[in-house]
């Protein structure tokens, strides 16, 4: 592992661990802001196909759920195998990502981030293109560490008509 990559992994892991002490501080937004920054770094790595950095920066709960932007049945942590992660290394390529925080909600042991992820990336063998995903991230504090409990993303960063929405709802 290169020194710069090692530094990123150490810094990211330290960043998540340090959040536990910040919850009781007078600045209640600090853990949410740190989680937003770490989430952006992690998802930018994922868009490059760097699954290892993503996994190091964003630990997930045992009951993690993923509602992907492609629809279908939600995925659960138990279904993520090394084969799944290897597939993700190939699925996302040469991407960049910028994240816009729309809103944050912070409690003692749970933080919700509503964000828009704007990526330019090759996905699933398609040529590089812009993607705008509306994303909800739910983090839960477990044993002094913030872990991702839920991610829901949809590709509706651009408005669609009622008719288009109805067609999607019907599966048409």
């Amino acid at each position: 592992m290169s020194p710069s990559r090692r530094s990123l992994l150490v810094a990211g892991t330290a960043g998540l661990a340090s959040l536990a002490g910040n919850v009781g501080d007078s600045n209640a937004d600090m853990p949410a802001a740190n989680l937003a920054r770490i989430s952006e770094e992690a998802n930018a790595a994922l868009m490059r196909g760097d699954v290892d950095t993503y996994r190091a920066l964003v630990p997930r709960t045992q009951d993690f759920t993923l509602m992907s932007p492609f629809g279908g049945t939600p995925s659960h942590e138990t279904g993520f195998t090394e084969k799944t992660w290897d597939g993700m290394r190939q699925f996302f390529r040469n991407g960049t990502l910028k994240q816009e925080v729309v809103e944050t909600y912070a409690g003692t042991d749970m933080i919700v981030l509503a964000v828009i992820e704007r990526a330019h990336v090759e996905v699933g063998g398609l040529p590089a293109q812009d993607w705008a995903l509306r994303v909800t991230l739910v983090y839960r504090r477990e044993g002094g560490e913030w872990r991702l409990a839920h991610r829901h993303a949809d590709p509706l960063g651009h408005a669609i008509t009622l008719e288009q929405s109805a067609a999607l709802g019907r599966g048409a």
Side-chain angles (χ1 to χ4, degrees):
M1 182 181 300
S2 70
S4 61
R5 187 167 173 198
R6 186 176 306 114
S7 299
L8 175 64
L9 290 175
V10 170
T13 305
L16 278 174
S18 71
L19 289 174
N22 292 339
V23 172
D25 292 351
S26 60
N27 183 356
D29 292 336
M30 189 179 298
N34 286 339
L35 281 175
R37 180 186 50 77
I38 291 166
S39 294
E40 182 174 20
E41 290 175 22
N43 286 300
L46 186 61
M47 294 301 101
R48 296 188 303 271
D50 185 354
V51 169
D52 297 329
T53 298
Y54 173 82
R55 290 175 75 182
L57 291 174
V58 181
R60 291 161 319 284
T61 62
Q62 289 297 314
D63 60 348
F64 170 75
T65 56
L66 170 66
M67 298 176 85
S68 91
F70 309 114
T73 303
S75 302
H76 299 276
E77 181 64 21
T78 56
F80 283 85
T81 64
E82 288 307 314
K83 184 177 179 180
T84 305
W85 292 110
D86 286 341
M88 290 176 75
R89 283 183 181 86
Q90 304 305 313
F91 193 72
F92 299 106
R93 295 279 201 188
N94 303 314
T96 60
L97 179 130
K98 293 292 181 190
Q99 176 180 276
E100 172 190 338
V101 176
V102 176
E103 194 62 70
T104 61
Y105 306 93
T108 303
D109 293 317
M110 189 167 289
I111 293 175
V112 177
L113 304 174
V115 304
I116 298 176
E117 295 176 348
R118 299 185 193 285
H120 186 83
V121 61
E122 298 170 23
V123 177
L126 294 175
Q129 66 180 21
D130 291 332
W131 292 81
L133 299 180
R134 300 181 316 164
V135 179
T136 303
L137 301 162
V138 179
Y139 284 89
R140 188 171 64 218
R141 188 166 59 164
E142 293 183 347
E145 179 180 45
W146 288 99
R147 294 180 166 268
L148 185 61
H150 178 74
R151 175 183 168 90
H152 177 222
D154 70 54
L156 300 175
H158 306 289
I160 62 173
T161 67
L162 177 60
E163 291 77 14
Q164 290 169 315
S165 181
L168 287 171
R170 288 191 309 273

